[in-house]
Amino acid sequence: MQKQDFNQRWHFYKQGSQDVQIVDLPHDAMLHEARDPESPGGSAVGFFVGGVYVYEKTFFAPVEWREKCVLFEFEGVYRHSKVYLNGQEAGGRPYGYSRFFVNADPFLQYGTENTLRVVADNARMPNSRWYSGSGFYRPVHLLLGNKTHIEPDGVKVSTLSYAPARILVETTATGGEIVVEILDGDEVIARGEGAAVELDIPNAKLWSAETPNLYRCRVTLKEGGAVVDTVTENFGIRLVEWSPRGLFINGQETLLRGGCIHHDNGILGACAYAEAEERRVRILKAAGFNTIRSAHNPASQALLEACDRYGMYVMDEFADMWYMHKNKYDYAADFDAWYREDLRAMVEKDFNHPSVIMYSIGNEVTEPYQERGIQLTMEMVDYLHSLDRNRAVTAGINLMLIYMASRGRGIYKEEGGLALEEKPKKKQRASGSLFFNLMTSIIGTQMNKMANSEAADRITSPCLDALDIAGYNYASGRYALDGKKHPDRVICGSETFTQDIAKNWAMVKKYPYLIGDFMWTAWDYLGEAGIGAWAYDGSGFHKPYPWLIAGCGVIDILGNVDATAKYAAVVWGLEQQPYIGVRPINHPGKRVSKAIWRATNAVHSWSWKNCEGNKAKIEVYADAYAVELFLNDKSLGKKRIKAFKAMYKTSYAPGVLKAVAYDRNGRKLSESELVSASGKTRIALKPEESAIKVGDLLYINVELVGENGVVESNDDRKLTVHVTGGRLLGFGSANPCTEERFDSGSYTTFYGRALAVVQGGEAGEMTIQVSGEELEPVAIKVKVTE
């Protein structure tokens, strides 16, 4: 079927409002709401509010469509969507992260205008533990085909073997004769006929994270000798195998350098623009990650396509809850009626993506302490196997939470809400997800050992053994134990603390059955406000309004790689030079409140205006025997590297901070340095592309720099962006605590950095100008082509 873009010029309004706007999709209605300290979603959603949102679009249906098949594909609508065509309800989906289709044929009026109306109901809150967004945050398409056609997702390509390379192509159509062709570039290299065809691929180029080679499968449907439909799918020749000996991709043992990510795109909110998803994958790959865990919902199609192209493995995750609520109005209310359909939707979306190597059926669910939960685990695993035998099934299991639930100390009430909301009975311990996070922040990484008991093992094993790969959330204390206790179990660290990467990675390399590590989190996100932030404002774990950003990510919401990401790269053996991180020195005398979900708040900067003489704590990471640190050519001492790290203390003085790494024989291996900004502060604009096409996105890094071009970390200003010849989609910084808005065009930099995202308008030239307090305005021009 022919897929047509259906994202332009929708009429949008919030129910109860007379303000009708013209918007293009994707569109996140929540991002444009006013934040409220009394939001029922609270800090989990960054104090944003919800509502009921209506999208309408009028289109002409030619008379010829009467003999066609017309479908609408909705990639994601948050949430409880209902679709109306010409006033009649035609479909919808409760779960806000599932792709779904609506058959338009019974409702179309041919030869005249038709109205498609979609209602997204995100009014009942709380329903999410992180920023969800609202409305049409992913694209929509119109699918048009003949009555005889290939079904949506009707072409499935499986790798049967890689040496020799042999694939199976299965096609589902409403009739006709099927012809299958495999293309390498424009050359047809294999051909067959029929609904299920096995084909040998000569001189095959295999797909992996290191070699992301893609082929095209073109399926042609004929009826009476005439072509009635054609579908082309990208695929890669990639076979996944797992056992206690390890994880193997095309026969090669593979260790997963993983990171968890939420679905939002920072200053763009939940909008899943293809360029935004690709940029995120590109930056993650460059930072050293080779695997993404899509936490805690199915990934967008654009993200998976980018992972295919760049070579990034994916654990695609189904949901954050099953039938027991984590929030009063969450998906648990719809789970029993919809989970099989939503699991199927995830598989249908993922099937041809070689990047997806495993499915996760849930995150930190506590149901498996019950017999019903154990049976559900096995049923979901079997169901996914029936849909797709090419991938493993896992889950992010928090062993401690299941054990606590079995002892009557579950953190959620089954009917909805948090157990903490109720007054605890005498001799009962108060619980709740907030309590769990607070407890974790207090006991720190000792949490990893809290499920080491025989009793915890007995309670969790039925669930873990039902999975192909047992995902352990914060239970690294079990890694060594379970290799002996459960010799048939394959394990991955599905969620871990970032500061544990050195010891966790050592175990990944040591134990074959431990296939990888997924840190929380690889990319920072909106909501769970301040959970990972190191704060100087006196706030403790519970961050009040106006905290906005989680602060957990080793890459901030703008895409800037932080010290912890570089530390991980050193641990993984991917960084050759020493890395210098400096904890902010512009808070003299103030006590910092640390958070367990952040290893350090160090910044890659030795540029702290007006901070001369302030105490400075410096972290140096290196895969070396020793390191020596110099400030303005004066040695601050040579230190042994322990766990890839050395710590220094000194007083700040502008100039050059240099680190030199040595081997155990004292021979110099490498060096790196930081230089202070000098001279008057100015605005620097650094677009990531020199030209774009109409409708495409352009990312522009906005920096406050000295006359030598070095970013100044302690001279933040409020800046304003003006765009002509295009549209400003978002402008902001990574400041985790602010009342500023990403859609206002004005924002204050954070450690000297901000980011603007603009969309190309008509063909020609687009101008982006940035001005600020006591700063000369700066403008750049970018070519926009058809």
Side-chain angles (χ1 to χ4, degrees), residues 716-719 732-733 735 740 746-750 753-754:
D716 287 317
R717 314 282 184 93
K718 188 170 186 177
L719 306 178
S733 73
N735 185 357
E740 294 178 315
S746 295
Y747 219 93
T748 302
T749 58
F750 188 61
R753 300 178 188 274

Side-chain angles (χ1 to χ4, degrees), residues 190-252:
R191 188 180 184 280
E193 297 182 1
V197 183
E198 292 188 14
L199 298 171
D200 291 318
I201 308 300
N203 304 311
K205 295 175 285 189
L206 306 183
W207 189 98
S208 70
E210 295 73 31
T211 59
N213 299 304
L214 292 172
Y215 291 90
R216 287 185 297 147
C217 175
R218 183 170 63 200
V219 178
T220 303
L221 189 66
K222 295 182 178 182
E223 190 172 50
V227 174
V228 293
D229 200 3
T230 302
V231 169
T232 301
E233 293 279 351
N234 293 332
F235 74 97
I237 299 171
R238 188 271 297 124
L239 189 69
V240 184
E241 298 170 291
W242 59 93
S243 75
R245 296 188 300 108
L247 175 73
F248 297 86
I249 305 295
N250 296 326
Q252 298 294 314

Side-chain angles (χ1 to χ4, degrees), residues 300-494:
S300 71
Q301 292 190 83
L303 185 85
L304 297 184
E305 289 167 2
C307 290
D308 292 343
R309 292 192 299 271
Y310 283 91
M312 180 73 77
Y313 301 121
V314 177
M315 175 199 296
D316 207 7
E317 192 153 82
F318 159 53
D320 187 44
M321 71 292 295
W322 292 351
Y323 56 81
M324 293 176 64
H325 288 270
K326 293 184 177 180
N327 281 289
K328 188 174 183 179
Y329 299 110
D330 64 21
Y331 176 64
D334 304 298
F335 177 85
D336 285 333
W338 283 94
Y339 77 92
R340 289 177 71 90
E341 282 299 312
D342 290 324
L343 283 171
R344 176 181 286 276
M346 179 175 69
V347 172
E348 294 287 307
K349 168 180 64 70
D350 292 0
F351 197 96
N352 290 331
H353 291 286
S355 55
V356 180
I357 60 172
M358 62 178 115
Y359 301 116
S360 169
I361 57 175
N363 171 67
E364 294 189 342
V365 292
T366 55
E367 286 90 336
Y369 86 90
Q370 302 174 335
E371 181 61 29
R372 177 187 174 190
I374 295 169
Q375 292 301 317
L376 177 61
T377 304
M378 294 188 289
E379 190 269 334
M380 284 197 285
V381 171
D382 288 343
Y383 182 58
L384 285 175
H385 285 166
S386 73
L387 298 173
D388 185 353
R389 295 296 307 185
N390 303 319
R391 295 172 172 92
V393 179
T394 185
I397 300 297
N398 191 309
L399 288 70
M400 184 186 74
L401 293 188
I402 292 178
Y403 176 62
M404 288 173 61
S406 74
R407 300 292 299 273
R409 300 202 301 268
I411 69 170
Y412 303 107
K413 297 183 296 184
E414 189 165 350
E415 72 276 13
L418 306 175
L420 183 63
E421 293 170 351
E422 296 179 340
K423 184 178 179 180
K425 297 178 182 178
K426 189 176 180 180
K427 295 185 179 180
Q428 279 193 335
R429 187 176 300 174
S431 335
S433 65
L434 292 176
F435 174 76
F436 167 69
N437 288 338
L438 177 60
M439 177 183 65
T440 303
S441 72
I442 294 171
I443 65 175
T445 56
Q446 290 301 308
M447 174 185 174
N448 290 318
K449 300 179 181 179
M450 292 189 68
N452 285 6
S453 69
E454 289 288 340
D457 179 61
R458 184 173 61 255
I459 292 296
T460 56
S461 283
C463 165
L464 294 169
D465 289 339
L467 302 168
D468 297 319
I469 296 173
Y472 286 18
N473 280 20
Y474 307 109
S476 59
R478 291 275 295 264
Y479 293 166
L481 300 174
D482 287 356
K484 298 176 182 178
K485 188 180 292 290
H486 302 284
D488 294 329
R489 188 176 291 177
V490 185
I491 301 170
C492 75
S494 45

Side-chain angles (χ1 to χ4, degrees), residues 389-656:
R389 295 296 307 185
N390 303 319
R391 295 172 172 92
V393 179
T394 185
I397 300 297
N398 191 309
L399 288 70
M400 184 186 74
L401 293 188
I402 292 178
Y403 176 62
M404 288 173 61
S406 74
R407 300 292 299 273
R409 300 202 301 268
I411 69 170
Y412 303 107
K413 297 183 296 184
E414 189 165 350
E415 72 276 13
L418 306 175
L420 183 63
E421 293 170 351
E422 296 179 340
K423 184 178 179 180
K425 297 178 182 178
K426 189 176 180 180
K427 295 185 179 180
Q428 279 193 335
R429 187 176 300 174
S431 335
S433 65
L434 292 176
F435 174 76
F436 167 69
N437 288 338
L438 177 60
M439 177 183 65
T440 303
S441 72
I442 294 171
I443 65 175
T445 56
Q446 290 301 308
M447 174 185 174
N448 290 318
K449 300 179 181 179
M450 292 189 68
N452 285 6
S453 69
E454 289 288 340
D457 179 61
R458 184 173 61 255
I459 292 296
T460 56
S461 283
C463 165
L464 294 169
D465 289 339
L467 302 168
D468 297 319
I469 296 173
Y472 286 18
N473 280 20
Y474 307 109
S476 59
R478 291 275 295 264
Y479 293 166
L481 300 174
D482 287 356
K484 298 176 182 178
K485 188 180 292 290
H486 302 284
D488 294 329
R489 188 176 291 177
V490 185
I491 301 170
C492 75
S494 45
E495 194 167 314
T496 62
F497 295 114
T498 57
Q499 60 264 45
D500 290 343
I501 184 61
K503 63 181 181 181
N504 285 347
W505 196 248
M507 288 189 283
V508 169
K509 292 194 293 184
K510 180 178 180 180
Y511 303 122
Y513 55 84
L514 180 61
I515 64 171
D517 175 270
F518 291 79
M519 65 175 66
W520 189 267
T521 56
W523 196 285
D524 214 353
Y525 55 98
L526 306 181
E528 282 199 310
I531 190 176
W534 287 26
Y536 295 91
D537 63 359
S539 61
F541 176 77
H542 298 297
K543 300 295 194 301
Y545 179 89
W547 282 83
L548 169 64
I549 297 170
C552 301
V554 301
I555 300 173
D556 71 20
I557 65 165
L558 309 186
N560 298 310
V561 175
D562 83 353
T564 307
K566 286 295 186 179
Y567 180 58
V570 170
V571 170
W572 291 330
L574 303 176
E575 196 74 24
Q576 304 305 314
Q577 294 180 319
Y579 176 88
I580 306 171
V582 180
R583 295 187 184 180
I585 58 180
N586 54 349
H587 304 281
K590 290 187 178 181
R591 181 180 176 273
V592 60
S593 297
K594 299 180 180 180
I596 191 62
W597 279 281
R598 173 164 288 279
T600 180
N601 65 343
V603 180
H604 192 54
S605 172
W606 191 246
S607 191
W608 302 90
K609 187 176 182 179
N610 299 325
C611 289
E612 287 82 351
N614 287 4
K615 293 180 180 179
K617 292 184 179 180
I618 302 162
E619 307 177 16
V620 182
Y621 314 141
D623 187 3
Y625 180 78
V627 68
E628 188 172 11
L629 192 64
F630 297 86
L631 177 55
N632 296 327
D633 295 325
K634 180 181 178 181
S635 176
L636 301 182
K638 183 182 287 188
K639 294 191 176 186
R640 281 281 308 275
I641 293 288
K642 297 180 180 179
F644 302 94
K645 182 187 302 184
M647 302 291 294
Y648 287 85
K649 293 182 180 180
T650 190
S651 296
Y652 177 72
V656 179

Side-chain angles (χ1 to χ4, degrees), residues 114-261:
N114 291 253
T115 299
L116 182 65
R117 181 162 62 97
V118 181
V119 180
D121 186 351
N122 193 23
R124 292 185 299 168
M125 301 173 77
N127 60 59
S128 178
R129 295 192 306 114
W130 59 88
Y131 178 88
S132 61
S134 296
F136 256 129
Y137 70 101
R138 290 177 180 170
V140 60
H141 298 93
L142 183 149
L143 276 62
L144 178 66
N146 293 305
K147 296 295 185 184
T148 301
H149 61 266
I150 299 169
E151 296 282 15
D153 303 318
V155 176
K156 293 182 170 61
V157 185
S158 301
T159 299
L160 301 177
S161 63
Y162 56 87
R166 189 169 179 81
I167 64 171
L168 169 66
V169 181
E170 299 170 286
T171 304
T172 303
T174 59
E177 301 84 42
I178 297 167
V179 177
V180 177
E181 296 171 303
I182 306 302
L183 292 88
D184 182 4
D186 293 327
E187 180 185 1
V188 176
I189 59 172
R191 188 180 184 280
E193 297 182 1
V197 183
E198 292 188 14
L199 298 171
D200 291 318
I201 308 300
N203 304 311
K205 295 175 285 189
L206 306 183
W207 189 98
S208 70
E210 295 73 31
T211 59
N213 299 304
L214 292 172
Y215 291 90
R216 287 185 297 147
C217 175
R218 183 170 63 200
V219 178
T220 303
L221 189 66
K222 295 182 178 182
E223 190 172 50
V227 174
V228 293
D229 200 3
T230 302
V231 169
T232 301
E233 293 279 351
N234 293 332
F235 74 97
I237 299 171
R238 188 271 297 124
L239 189 69
V240 184
E241 298 170 291
W242 59 93
S243 75
R245 296 188 300 108
L247 175 73
F248 297 86
I249 305 295
N250 296 326
Q252 298 294 314
E253 184 178 13
T254 301
L255 306 181
L256 303 180
R257 304 187 301 271
C260 304
I261 63 171

